[in-house]
């Protein structure tokens, strides 16, 4: 199974003329369409192969390139810098997935999102392979939807949205699996790749953070505490 979803994560983005800051991690295929969607965005890209930056399709996109192996080297950016980080299989390929997920979250603004994908361990072809004694995930980690949700929740992400990329099974195979005890909630057995959009904040808190700056929120919180506890300002 190929390690690509062919820019499917753009499903989660809407066109914008805002000056957003966006990072792609080993996801250069997204850059042309991303530039179309976000013409005014500051787009950064991390790739290990320096030759990628010379590909003709990327030459006129005004990309800020960084060349490193993200699995071994920390990203050289300020914390809370990006509005979006796109890393297709970034966690699936990491040795310590929790550390990687947490590390990526540090670079996102409080209103930011991490877009990623993972191979569904409950996908029918994975199960079919196991039936034949064939397991092809030596260098990466497939997940169930539930396990990936727990991973993100333990790594400072507050809200996760999923979208499936499906590959339908031959007639009768799903029925065979369900007859021996496999549940197929939400056609999970025919979902090859799960695409995810994980937020740094819950929807309610996210709306508040988008309306007020961090300094404004600090002032409001101080005033509310004074009102709640009837704290009066000392007269000079």
């Amino acid at each position: 199974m190929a390690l690509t979803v062919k820019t499917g994560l753009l499903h989660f983005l809407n066109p914008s003329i805002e000056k957003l800051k966006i990072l792609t991690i080993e996801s250069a295929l997204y850059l042309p369409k991303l530039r179309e969607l976000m013409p005014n965005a500051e787009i950064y890209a991390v790739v290990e192969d320096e030759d990628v930056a010379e590909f003709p399709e990327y030459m006129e996109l005004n990309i800020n390139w960084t060349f490193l192996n993200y699995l071994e080297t920390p990203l050289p950016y300020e914390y809370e810098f990006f509005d979006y980080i796109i890393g297709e299989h970034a966690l699936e390929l990491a040795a310590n997935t929790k550390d990687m997920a947490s590390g990526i979250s540090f670079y996102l603004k409080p209103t930011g999102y991490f877009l990623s994908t993972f191979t569904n361990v409950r996908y029918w072809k994975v199960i079919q392979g196991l039936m034949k004694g064939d397991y092809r995930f030596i260098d990466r980690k497939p997940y169930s939807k539930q396990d990936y949700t727990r991973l993100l929740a333990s790594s400072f992400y507050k809200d996760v949205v999923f979208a499936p990329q499906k590959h339908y099974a031959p007639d009768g195979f799903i029925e065979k699996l369900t007859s021996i005890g496999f549940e197929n909630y939400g056609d999970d057995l025919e979902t090859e790749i799960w695409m995810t959009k994980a937020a740094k904040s819950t929807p309610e808190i996210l709306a508040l953070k988008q309306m007020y700056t961090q300094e404004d929120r600090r002032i409001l919180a101080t005033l509310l505490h004074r009102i709640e506890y009837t704290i009066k300002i000392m007269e000079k």
Side-chain angles (χ1 to χ4, degrees), residues 5-200:
V5 291
K6 298 181 180 178
T7 68
L9 287 172
L10 296 182
H11 161 85
F12 293 117
L13 298 180
N14 295 315
S16 174
I17 60 172
E18 295 184 55
K19 295 182 178 179
L20 301 172
K21 292 182 173 64
I22 304 172
L23 172 66
T24 66
I25 301 175
E26 290 296 350
S27 301
L29 283 175
Y30 283 82
L31 296 175
K33 289 188 177 180
L34 192 57
R35 176 54 75 196
E36 288 181 23
L37 284 173
M38 313 283 187
N40 298 325
E42 292 181 33
I43 301 179
Y44 297 74
V46 168
V47 293
E48 186 174 8
D49 185 358
E50 296 187 19
D51 291 341
V52 172
E54 302 301 323
F55 290 180
E57 58 266 39
Y58 306 142
M59 294 294 289
E60 305 297 326
L61 299 181
N62 190 24
I63 305 300
N64 301 285
W65 295 95
T66 297
F67 307 107
L68 56 79
N69 182 344
Y70 80 97
L71 297 171
E72 300 176 354
T73 306
L75 300 177
Y77 307 112
E78 298 177 18
Y79 283 175
E80 299 189 354
F81 185 73
F82 293 105
D83 296 283
Y84 291 94
I85 295 179
I86 300 173
E88 255 193 12
H89 291 267
L91 303 187
E92 193 174 358
L93 297 172
N96 190 323
T97 50
K98 187 175 184 301
D99 284 354
M100 181 61 69
S102 301
I104 288 174
S105 76
F106 294 148
Y107 297 98
L108 283 170
K109 296 177 181 178
T111 55
Y113 296 92
F114 173 45
L115 278 57
S116 65
T117 66
F118 63 94
T119 303
N120 180 21
V121 73
R122 301 187 74 254
Y123 174 50
W124 67 268
K125 274 193 176 181
V126 176
I127 298 171
Q128 184 184 61
L130 289 171
M131 288 177 170
K132 299 176 182 179
D134 184 14
Y135 185 74
R136 301 185 179 184
F137 299 97
I138 304 302
D139 58 346
R140 56 192 171 106
K141 302 175 185 177
Y143 291 88
S144 69
K145 187 178 178 182
Q146 292 76 12
D147 284 340
Y148 204 77
T149 300
R150 284 192 285 267
L151 168 64
L152 293 175
S154 66
S155 304
F156 312 113
Y157 299 94
K158 306 300 183 183
D159 189 63
V160 186
V161 178
F162 291 86
Q165 286 204 340
K166 297 184 179 182
H167 183 182
Y168 294 103
D171 289 343
F173 190 73
I174 298 301
E175 289 76 9
K176 176 181 178 181
L177 293 179
T178 56
S179 70
I180 59 176
F182 284 92
E183 294 186 18
N184 189 28
Y185 39 84
D187 290 332
D188 189 52
L189 295 175
E190 293 187 295
T191 298
E192 179 179 5
I193 300 290
W194 280 110
M195 302 181 293
T196 71
K197 179 182 179 182
K200 282 287 292 288

